[in-house]
Amino acid sequence: MKIIVEKAEQELAKVMRAIEQDPHSWESWTCLHMHIEPRRDYDRYIAAMGLVVAEFGIALKELDGIAFVVGSHNLFVFCRHVTKYNLRTLANDIACELLTKYSIASTQRLYEVNYDWKLV
């Protein structure tokens, strides 16, 4: 999996336009959207997204797909041939790690890209 950090919003917009053109070609794709709440620790800002990539980058790189780190609060992971159960497990592991280690809350949603692309 490729993880895009620089110009991620523009690259994500390109993918969304491609999906809009032909949603059926994205039939086996799933999207995980994680929104990570910002947090300050005393006077030090905690870069939560950096923690996610550092701790789970290896697991993300093993997936067939592409991830977009949009700002410091949103992660979009588009992957194919991964069951919703496995993707949900990965998302829960990330959320649990952020909460227990750093007290950072997150929300997550799973989408079937060909059906739910407008919601993404």
Side-chain angles (χ1 to χ4, degrees):
M1 171 171 291
K2 183 176 182 181
I3 300 175
I4 297 178
V5 178
E6 291 186 26
K7 298 184 180 181
E9 288 180 34
Q10 293 91 341
E11 294 300 317
L12 178 58
K14 289 178 188 176
V15 168
M16 295 310 298
R17 282 192 296 275
I19 295 168
E20 184 178 13
Q21 295 288 323
D22 186 12
H24 296 296
S25 66
W26 291 79
E27 188 172 329
S28 61
W29 288 78
T30 305
C31 176
L32 165 66
H33 172 221
M34 287 193 75
H35 177 76
I36 298 171
E37 297 299 324
R39 180 168 180 273
R40 290 181 61 88
D41 186 13
Y42 302 103
D43 290 328
R44 181 175 57 98
Y45 178 74
I46 296 175
M49 201 54 73
L51 296 171
V52 169
V53 173
E55 301 242 355
F56 292 92
I58 293 171
L60 290 174
K61 285 191 180 253
E62 291 178 3
L63 298 175
D64 180 16
I66 188 166
F68 301 91
V69 178
V70 180
S72 59
H73 307 297
N74 292 288
L75 173 68
F76 293 88
V77 178
F78 288 83
C79 55
R80 60 181 169 179
H81 310 301
V82 177
T83 65
K84 280 187 172 181
Y85 174 80
N86 289 340
L87 199 54
R88 172 78 65 199
T89 300
L90 176 63
N92 287 338
D93 289 348
I94 293 170
C96 184
E97 191 82 11
L98 286 172
L99 192 59
T100 57
K101 273 191 173 178
Y102 308 104
S103 299
I104 297 173
S106 63
T107 57
Q108 53 201 311
R109 293 192 177 203
L110 280 175
Y111 302 100
E112 289 185 37
V113 175
N114 63 321
Y115 295 117
D116 303 325
W117 63 271
K118 288 182 181 180
L119 299 174
V120 177

